[in-house]
Amino acid sequence: MTNTWLPPAEYVETLPRATAYACLYFTDTAGRALQLRAAYLGERWQWPGGNMDPGETPWETAVRECREETGIVFTGEPRLLGTHFATDRGADWPANRIGFIFDGGELTDEQIAGLVLDPREHSEYRLGTLEEWEREMEPREFTRLAEIDRARRTGMTVYVETDPDED
């Protein structure tokens, strides 16, 4: 490739495509991870969060999506636990995917009992230990959960990379 200067709009067209999402990782007071079962995408387990809207920061996305998906109005400070990168999956998702996972902290029993799910997006929520989640989840999805949980416990931010051939 030559070092020819391009106007920004033209230059951006030469770059890889990527979408971005952000979410909050919560546990209960016993350290069990909270996940929501998607009402789509093969009913995978996921954290409260979603795709960034134009003009949003990852933090704004995580807080907005959490409120929309669970009813939780999160007022804590941003603490990044990790980032996730997934490669282009062709027709399944024709772009790279970049995720920002923030620490949502511990939820009380009352907060958990007050969760309100949007049935168009999630059919249920569940709390589980890592051992329980490992039996329930696809290996690459569980790896992401385990790494984020490790980041929470150690205070060290993690980077998790997955590709479509890991299942």
Side-chain angles (χ1 to χ4, degrees), residues 39-143:
Y40 53 90
L41 295 176
E43 298 185 330
R44 289 187 169 161
W45 290 101
Q46 54 190 211
W47 302 306
N51 289 320
M52 289 174 58
D53 285 344
E56 268 186 329
T57 67
W59 178 244
E60 290 168 339
T61 299
V63 171
R64 174 186 54 79
E65 287 281 348
C66 180
R67 183 184 65 252
E68 291 174 2
E69 293 180 353
T70 66
I72 295 172
V73 178
F74 189 76
T75 58
E77 294 294 319
R79 178 173 172 250
L80 184 67
L81 293 174
T83 58
H84 170 239
F85 179 85
T87 57
D88 182 326
R89 296 187 305 255
D92 288 344
W93 192 270
N96 294 323
R97 189 153 168 78
I98 301 167
F100 302 86
I101 301 96
F102 295 96
D103 191 353
E106 291 182 349
L107 296 174
T108 64
D109 291 343
E110 293 78 26
Q111 288 171 307
I112 293 165
L115 292 176
V116 178
L117 302 182
D118 178 346
R120 296 169 297 178
E121 292 202 45
H122 298 100
S123 59
E124 66 177 301
Y125 69 85
R126 189 178 304 168
L127 293 154
T129 65
L130 289 182
E131 293 77 22
E132 291 167 333
W133 283 120
E134 187 172 20
R135 291 189 297 270
E136 181 78 22
M137 299 174 74
E138 294 179 18
R140 74 174 173 189
E141 298 295 325
F142 174 74
T143 296

Side-chain angles (χ1 to χ4, degrees), residues 10-33:
E10 287 180 42
Y11 176 68
V12 167
E13 289 299 317
T14 71
L15 299 175
R17 298 177 78 92
T19 60
Y21 73 91
C23 52
L24 288 168
Y25 176 68
F26 292 102
T27 59
D28 66 2
T29 56
R32 297 177 302 169

